Amino acid sequence: MPKIIEPIEPFNEIYYQSCLYNSLFPVIRHFQLSILPLLINDWVVYETARAGEGTLFGISYRSNKGLIEALAALGIAVEKEQFAGTVVDKIKSAVDMGRPVVLWVDCYELPVRKDTFRKKHLPHTILVHGYNDCTGHFHIIEHLQMENLSYDKKTIRMEDLERAYIEFDHEFNQGQMKLDSYYEFYKLNQAASMISGEAEQYQELIQANMNVITEGLDQLLEVSELLYGRLMQQAHISLDHAAQQLDKLNSIILAKQAESYKLKLLQMEQEPLSAILQSITNEWSMIRAIVGKYVYSNQFKVEQFAELPDRISNIYDAELKFYETFLTK
């Protein structure tokens, strides 16, 4: 007889920060709790970094509370380990107690991932919510492939999941600061205090961190000026640099989509906030299209990049307008 924790459903509404959160959100909803307190625990800032020939711009998430503390405030406890060794029996024991498990794996060792199996080493999380000893399979929620946001219920052989977990440790988790790679989640007996006034709490968090947010925006404007000077000199941008920037552009757009989703849950998506945020997302999408065209065609044309500085400047102005409007709602 299979042992399966239900109901538990894939989360496909947004991609948030990393695959860890898309594995975690179904767990929170399984415990009949809201993901909103986790979303309003974070804010996003722009940041730049030197990389080879130039500067890359991207985003980073900042948090008011650590993830474990934020989950505890929500009413969820976590048992975690940096490396749990052979995990088959450990996962089965957790499922027997009604505890969903999230663990980090290397997609190189996952036969269910045709896009990466024996092709690409990739750190990733998988949510395990059941097992069947008769077939030797775990019941999991997993990504279909890297290029889309489609999580679904699947099964995987127990030995394949364990091998992918061990390979993650070998491939990605051997530094001095070893990361937690195994999590069991369960609901605390005491009910978490009801959270009210989420919109006001999020406004207060943003207000308290506006200095850091505006510093990031200033860095973005500096990048625009540097890029303008480079283009005026007809300077070529390397394909490798553009490819790195393309990855960061994808992360920026996902972050903006997540911010729109957050406003919806906060019931703050009405005009003009949603229109400003959409205009920012549209500008980043246009920039991504230009950079992506170069990356995939390997044909650099200065005139195609010429509009980027103005678009970044437009984003700077729109971001300031967004925060000004958001904080006066």
Side-chain angles (χ1 to χ4, degrees), residues 150-163:
S150 294
Y151 284 80
D152 203 357
K153 291 183 177 180
K154 298 183 180 182
T155 61
I156 185 173
R157 292 192 308 171
M158 294 177 181
E159 59 266 31
D160 289 337
L161 183 61
E162 183 169 82
R163 184 170 56 253

Side-chain angles (χ1 to χ4, degrees), residues 36-193:
L36 183 56
L38 252 62
L39 295 176
I40 64 172
N41 182 56
D42 305 323
W43 72 98
V44 171
V45 298
Y46 289 105
E47 62 180 11
T48 59
R50 294 290 300 175
E53 65 179 45
T55 302
L56 296 170
F57 51 86
I59 54 96
S60 68
Y61 286 86
R62 310 292 174 88
S63 299
N64 186 39
K65 300 176 182 177
L67 178 59
I68 304 304
E69 182 185 357
L71 285 170
L74 191 58
I76 297 175
V78 186
E79 287 192 9
K80 55 190 177 65
E81 294 187 35
Q82 292 177 341
F83 180 61
T86 53
V87 291
V88 169
D89 289 340
K90 190 173 183 66
I91 294 172
K92 289 162 63 176
S93 177
V95 171
D96 287 342
M97 292 186 288
R99 297 182 175 185
V101 172
V102 172
L103 67 164
W104 283 93
V105 297
D106 183 355
C107 290
Y108 185 85
E109 294 290 351
L110 290 179
V112 296
R113 286 290 298 270
K114 303 304 182 186
D115 58 334
T116 59
F117 182 54
R118 300 295 165 86
K119 299 174 185 175
K120 180 181 178 65
H121 290 281
L122 182 71
H124 185 57
T125 59
I126 283 183
L127 168 59
V128 187
H129 66 106
Y131 68 90
N132 188 329
D133 271 334
C134 294
T135 65
H137 284 78
F138 283 123
H139 290 258
I140 64 172
I141 291 177
E142 166 58 336
H143 220 169
L144 296 181
Q145 60 181 13
M146 289 183 293
E147 303 304 326
N148 61 37
L149 181 64
S150 294
Y151 284 80
D152 203 357
K153 291 183 177 180
K154 298 183 180 182
T155 61
I156 185 173
R157 292 192 308 171
M158 294 177 181
E159 59 266 31
D160 289 337
L161 183 61
E162 183 169 82
R163 184 170 56 253
Y165 173 72
I166 293 172
E167 187 59 28
F168 167 82
D169 187 72
H170 291 165
E171 188 73 23
F172 299 106
N173 209 20
Q174 291 297 310
Q176 287 185 336
M177 298 296 291
K178 206 172 177 69
L179 303 174
D180 295 318
S181 64
Y182 178 92
Y183 307 83
E184 294 179 9
F185 300 93
Y186 60 97
K187 196 172 183 180
L188 293 168
N189 291 328
Q190 68 270 27
S193 57

Side-chain angles (χ1 to χ4, degrees), residues 17-45:
Q17 290 202 45
S18 76
C19 53
L20 175 61
Y21 282 85
N22 282 70
S23 295
L24 176 58
F25 287 162
V27 175
I28 295 172
R29 288 185 168 177
H30 164 71
F31 290 131
Q32 298 182 311
L33 297 168
S34 170
I35 67 172
L36 183 56
L38 252 62
L39 295 176
I40 64 172
N41 182 56
D42 305 323
W43 72 98
V44 171
V45 298

